[in-house]
């Protein structure tokens, strides 16, 4: 589902990613770990065309992104097939939970409102929030908002979901609620790449752990191997 080949990215004269090569099979979960500044967010953003790169190649969900594409030509198609959830929830504050979830399917895909609402309610139910369909984001907890953001992303039926530290702004209880949702998605066969400092989550849900240090793949392998080898 994802193939990254010899990716290099340069920002402000510094090589932020260097010869990064990795593969993610369909239906698997990869966690990206490693020290702050290692390049995890940059790599994730290169995967869905939010950032460009200087050398190498990315194949994702059947789309090819090449070095120096600015903006990447395949961008629109990539965005349709690749969902992304960030640390902040970035919900539209003036829209209810259900309207946040149904907006893109209605506008981008032209799904009729009643059908979009029906599907949206199912997605909110899947993240445990059916009761909050008509609530505005400001009235929801951080964990609930993040679960709405996940449902919103799922509404486009992405082939790949990318998460950048989806729980780092949350307290432990809310983090657990969000991680449970992500684990459920993993069980359902959703292909995902998750940047996280939560090694417990990586052990529970990951097929593969990739450790990025100073822009390079330092280690990659099954969680038991990598997380133990790192002495954590
Ligand atoms: N646009 C930019 N201009 C200059 N430097 C940048 C830019 N974007 C990223 N960097 C640098 O690239 C490095 C990698 O950043 P990145 O955000 O990818 O790391 P990270 O692994 O996600 O870190 P964290 O765990 O703190 O989120 C950092 O040293 C950062 O300062
Ligand atoms: Mg980051």
């Amino acid at each position: 589902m994802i193939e990254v080949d010899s990716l290099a990215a340069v920002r402000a004269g510094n090589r932020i990613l260097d010869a990064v090569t990795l593969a993610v099979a369909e239906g698997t979960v990869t966690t990206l770990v490693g020290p702050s500044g290692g390049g995890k967010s940059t790599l994730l953003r290169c995967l869905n065309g939010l950032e460009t790169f200087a050398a190498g190649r990315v194949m994702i969900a059947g789309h090819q992104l090449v070095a120096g594409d600015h903006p990447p030509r395949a961008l629109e198609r990539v965005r349709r097939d690749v969902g992304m959830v960030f640390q902040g929830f970035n919900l539209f504050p003036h829209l209810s939970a259900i309207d946040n979830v149904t907006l893109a399917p209605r506008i981008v895909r032209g799904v009729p409102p009643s059908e979009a609402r029906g599907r949206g309610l199912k997605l909110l139910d899947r993240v445990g929030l059916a009761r909050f369909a008509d609530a505005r984001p400001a009235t929801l907890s951080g964990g609930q908002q993040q679960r709405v953001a996940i449902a919103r992303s799922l509404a486009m039926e992405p082939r790949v979901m990318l998460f950048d530290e989806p729980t780092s702004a949350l307290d432990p209880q809310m983090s657990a609620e969000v991680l449970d949702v992500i684990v459920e998605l993993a069980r359902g066969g959703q292909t995902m790449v998750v940047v996280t400092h939560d090694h417990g989550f990586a052990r529970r849900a990951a097929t593969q752990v990739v450790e990025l240090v100073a822009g390079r793949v330092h280690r990659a392998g099954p969680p038991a191997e990598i997380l133990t080898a790192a002495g954590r």
Side-chain angles (χ1 to χ4, degrees):
M1 186 63 80
I2 305 175
E3 269 180 40
V4 177
D5 186 20
S6 307
L7 198 72
V10 176
R11 302 283 178 266
N14 298 315
R15 195 163 270 250
I16 303 304
L17 295 175
D18 190 12
V20 171
T21 293
L22 59 93
V24 174
E26 185 166 5
T28 67
V29 178
T30 294
T31 57
L32 283 180
V33 302
S36 181
K40 303 179 296 295
S41 295
T42 304
L43 174 58
L44 215 61
R45 293 163 64 84
C46 285
L47 288 183
N48 81 339
L50 275 173
E51 291 195 13
T52 57
F53 43 92
R57 197 181 69 117
V58 172
M59 284 293 296
I60 183 161
H63 309 295
Q64 176 164 234
L65 301 171
V66 294
D69 242 358
H70 197 77
R73 278 182 297 254
L75 199 59
E76 235 171 86
R77 283 172 286 132
V78 171
R79 294 280 168 76
R80 259 173 217 218
D81 287 332
V82 182
M84 185 142 175
V85 174
F86 302 91
Q87 177 181 345
F89 326 119
N90 307 314
L91 296 171
F92 297 109
H94 59 296
L95 296 180
S96 63
I98 185 68
D99 286 344
N100 265 281
V101 172
T102 59
L103 188 68
R106 285 189 286 120
I107 305 295
V108 180
R109 289 236 164 114
V111 178
S114 62
E115 187 185 331
R117 186 175 170 90
R119 281 199 221 159
L121 288 172
K122 277 193 195 137
L123 286 169
L124 285 176
D125 190 38
R126 198 162 157 197
V127 300
L129 292 175
R131 306 185 279 134
F132 295 99
D134 295 312
R136 294 274 177 96
T139 67
L140 299 174
S141 75
Q144 289 168 336
Q145 289 185 52
Q146 188 62 303
R147 285 184 281 151
V148 173
I150 292 171
R152 180 176 61 174
S153 219
L154 290 173
M156 290 298 279
E157 301 179 327
R159 298 185 66 201
V160 179
M161 285 278 281
L162 308 175
F163 294 87
D164 194 354
E165 301 201 38
T167 62
S168 59
L170 302 175
D171 69 29
Q173 169 64 31
M174 291 183 207
S175 286
E177 293 166 5
V178 170
L179 289 175
D180 284 346
V181 165
I182 300 175
V183 169
E184 271 312 304
L185 293 177
R187 293 205 178 112
Q190 175 75 52
T191 309
M192 297 190 280
V193 179
V194 185
V195 174
T196 181
H197 293 287
D198 186 330
H199 291 173
F201 168 77
R203 282 201 184 83
R204 191 149 68 114
T207 323
Q208 165 179 241
V209 177
V210 175
E211 187 181 22
L212 271 186
V213 179
R216 287 175 161 264
V217 176
H218 186 60
R219 268 188 298 239
E225 203 175 287
I226 302 305
L227 299 175
T228 306
R232 293 159 186 145

